[in-house]
Amino acid sequence: MPPIVGAADLLEFATAATEAHGVPPADARLLADTLVTAELWGHPSHGMLRLPWYLDRLASGATTAVAAPQTVSDNGAVLVVDGHDGLGQVLTDRAVTWGVERARLHGISAVAVRNSGHFGTAAYFTRKAAEEGCVALLATNASPAMAPWGGTEKRVGTNPWSIAAPGGRHGTVVMDIANTAVARGKIYHAKERGEPIPKGWAADADGVPTTDPRRAVEGLILPMAGHKGYAISFMFDVLAGVLTGSAFGSAVVGPYQPTGRSGVGHLLICVDIASMADPDEFGARMEALVEETKSTPVAPGTAEVFVPGEPEVRTAERLRREGITVADDTWAALAHIADTTAVPLPLPVHSQELPS
């Protein structure tokens, strides 16, 4: 039976294991927090299964342990930074700080980060900007996962993006999606659990639809909404890769590969709400939108209508009480990390032993 572990214990383990690879304490805790937060949100595809990937890249030197971003150009509202192969989470967190500061000065800002790495869950960062009074859009590119529409070889990344905004008393409203039928990490998660994937998610290396996650990893992830998903993904590579001066297309290296410069690019756009509208009025209007949406009559079999970001908040509340279930393969990988770093593996606990 897969172990259940407390979120705080996973956080401490991931932090210490990352520090053991030369990452400064604050940056190590940030990386760990992005992984544990993804688990709490109900997205294990972006959680602890990725820790070995990041640590392997640190060990090989593909990722620089101590981030040292360098300004390429600074035009006030627009900042371009070279991440010099630092951790994507660390560079993107700093981009949020810069983006919010500049949006407050100029009303709107754009921060471009080149030569970064995979940053995990985009919503983790857009939520931070929303909590500081901005509407934020964050786009990134990724290693090839889908074929161009009508093609047979993967040349286009999932290229995820997120938009977040303050929702008044409803908290933060946030969208975070890949442009494929599913995020690639969900296929890796199914592979680790030994479970089939739904039809329509992927095709094998020959382009034949498959429900086998192992064949899907070697093959193609299908775009969402057919040609529309391909087109959106292509254009986000324009924004995150070409425009930022980073790698693009097939030149981007994924986090699951232990070697090779990642070349990932990010583009963060922040709009300062106070520069465009009265923040209180904006909050009231957002509340009205949320309430109108949630009051929609539900379809048969549906208990409640959710707005974007709401399911993750509900799931986090539950998993903080119940604990996080770690897939057996992921647990084995964490045990290997514990052996190689001398960081004690967290002890599994029964959900009733966790603090309420």
Side-chain angles (χ1 to χ4, degrees):
M1 182 176 179
I4 298 174
V5 186
D9 293 336
L10 281 178
L11 178 63
E12 294 305 320
F13 173 78
T15 299
T18 305
E19 282 190 60
H21 284 72
V23 177
D27 293 350
R29 193 168 188 85
L30 171 67
L31 172 61
D33 191 54
T34 65
L35 300 176
V36 175
T37 298
E39 294 278 1
L40 288 170
W41 284 345
H43 300 302
S45 59
H46 287 66
M48 296 300 291
L49 77 81
R50 292 177 180 255
L51 180 62
W53 301 356
Y54 295 131
L55 298 187
D56 285 348
R57 290 185 59 78
L58 286 164
S60 74
T63 299
T64 302
V66 181
Q70 181 181 15
T71 298
V72 176
S73 63
D74 186 348
N75 298 310
V78 180
L79 174 67
V80 181
V81 174
D82 191 323
H84 292 299
D85 305 310
L87 281 165
Q89 290 85 348
V90 174
L91 295 170
T92 308
D93 194 65
R94 296 185 189 182
V96 170
T97 299
W98 299 325
V100 170
E101 289 174 348
R102 288 158 189 267
R104 286 174 178 165
L105 287 173
H106 304 284
I108 188 170
S109 67
V111 179
V113 181
R114 64 177 63 163
N115 298 321
S116 181
H118 187 274
F119 57 41
T121 307
Y124 183 91
F125 303 101
T126 55
R127 276 184 177 274
K128 286 192 170 188
E131 289 166 1
E132 295 295 327
C134 291
V135 174
L137 183 152
L138 174 61
T140 189
N141 60 3
S143 58
M146 74 168 88
W149 189 249
T152 58
E153 293 183 358
K154 52 187 176 185
R155 300 286 178 86
V156 183
T158 59
N159 301 346
W161 53 298
S162 174
I163 301 175
R169 67 174 179 274
H170 297 289
T172 301
V173 177
V174 58
M175 175 209 75
D176 182 352
I177 61 171
N179 299 304
T180 40
V182 64
R184 177 163 28 199
K186 292 187 182 297
I187 294 178
Y188 276 97
H189 184 57
K191 176 175 172 285
E192 293 221 332
R193 294 175 66 90
E195 298 175 347
I197 58 175
K199 293 179 179 179
W201 276 18
D204 64 18
D206 296 321
V208 178
T210 183
T211 59
D212 183 341
R214 297 180 183 277
R215 297 176 68 186
V217 166
E218 298 170 356
L220 304 169
I221 306 179
L222 301 177
M224 68 170 187
H227 65 282
K228 297 178 183 179
Y230 151 65
I232 295 171
S233 204
F234 180 93
M235 294 309 298
F236 273 118
D237 204 3
V238 173
L239 293 177
V242 179
L243 182 61
T244 65
S246 202
F248 54 87
S250 59
V252 179
V253 173
Y256 45 85
Q257 297 182 6
T259 61
R261 297 189 66 188
S262 180
V264 169
H266 320 305
L267 181 65
L268 173 69
I269 298 173
C270 293
V271 179
D272 177 43
I273 293 169
S275 297
M276 187 173 290
D278 176 80
D280 291 337
E281 181 182 355
F282 177 86
R285 288 165 59 83
M286 284 296 298
E287 289 171 3
L289 175 60
V290 169
E291 288 157 14
E292 178 185 24
T293 302
K294 288 186 67 61
S295 67
T296 305
V298 297
T302 301
E304 181 181 357
V305 171
F306 293 105
V307 294
E310 190 177 8
E312 286 79 3
V313 172
R314 299 275 188 94
T315 301
E317 292 172 352
R318 176 175 59 82
L319 292 183
R320 286 192 186 280
R321 297 190 306 268
E322 299 177 358
I324 294 168
T325 300
V326 182
D328 288 333
D329 282 1
T330 301
W331 187 250
L334 298 185
H336 178 70
I337 290 172
D339 290 340
T340 57
T341 61
V343 174
L345 194 65
L347 294 175
V349 295
H350 191 278
S351 60
Q352 292 181 353
E353 297 173 351
L354 293 169
S356 58

